[in-house]
Amino acid sequence: CACVRPNVPFRVSMDAFFDFDQATLRPEGKAALDELANRLAVTQYEKLTIVGHADRIGPAAYNQRLSERRASAMREYLIAQGIDGEKISTSGVGQSEPAASCRGLRGKRLIDCLQPDRSAELTAVGSELRMSEASR
C-alpha cells in the first residue's frame, strides 16, 4: 500500500550555501538541492516557498536585493532539476532575520562569523508519500 500522510509542511534551512556578497550556489548547496528535488519527487505538494537571507554587511537595500537573488537562484536550480516552477514562490528578507551574533569582530573574522546569515529557507506544503515496509 502506498500510504499518504495528511498535509504536512516541511522546512529545510539552507545555510552556508552562498559565499559573501554572492547569489551563486556553492557545490554543497547544489548537492542539498539535488537531495531535496529527489524528496519532492515522492511528495504531493501544493507549493514551495523560498525565503532568502543576507548578512548585515553593506546597505540594507542592497542586502534586500541580494536575499531576493539568492531565493531566485535556488528556484532556478530546482526548476532545472524538474521541479514545477509554477509551484515555487520566492522572497527575501534582507538582513532583517539574523541567525549569527558576531559582536566585536571585524574584517574576515566578521565575514566568516556571519556565514549562517547568508542562507535561504525552503518550506514545502504538501504530504509525503511513504511506502510501507511490506511493499518494498
Side-chain angles (χ1 to χ4, degrees), residues 11-129:
R11 182 175 298 223
V12 181
S13 184
M14 309 283 177
D15 61 340
F17 286 1
F18 299 99
D19 287 323
F20 175 65
D21 197 28
Q22 297 294 314
T24 304
L25 284 162
R26 290 175 160 184
E28 57 268 33
K30 290 178 180 179
L33 288 178
D34 289 343
E35 198 173 298
L36 178 66
N38 290 335
R39 182 176 176 188
L40 290 171
V42 295
T43 302
Q44 293 178 341
Y45 61 93
E46 290 90 48
K47 64 179 180 172
L48 302 175
T49 304
I50 302 172
V51 180
H53 297 263
D55 64 36
R56 66 179 191 239
I57 299 172
Y62 176 83
N63 287 333
Q64 177 63 39
R65 287 190 304 276
L66 179 60
S67 69
E68 292 166 1
R69 288 182 11 235
R70 287 177 173 159
S72 292
M74 288 178 60
R75 179 182 186 275
E76 295 306 313
Y77 189 83
L78 287 171
I79 290 170
Q81 304 312 305
I83 301 301
D84 183 357
E86 295 290 316
K87 293 184 176 184
I88 305 173
S89 66
T90 61
S91 64
V93 294
Q95 62 194 37
S96 68
E97 297 180 12
S101 175
C102 305
R103 300 186 197 289
L105 298 178
R106 295 186 178 279
K108 175 144 176 44
R109 289 181 61 207
L110 177 61
I111 289 170
D112 291 347
C113 180
L114 291 174
Q115 182 62 46
D117 292 343
R118 294 186 278 279
S119 65
E121 198 170 73
L122 185 145
T123 304
V125 177
S127 52
E128 292 187 66
L129 293 175

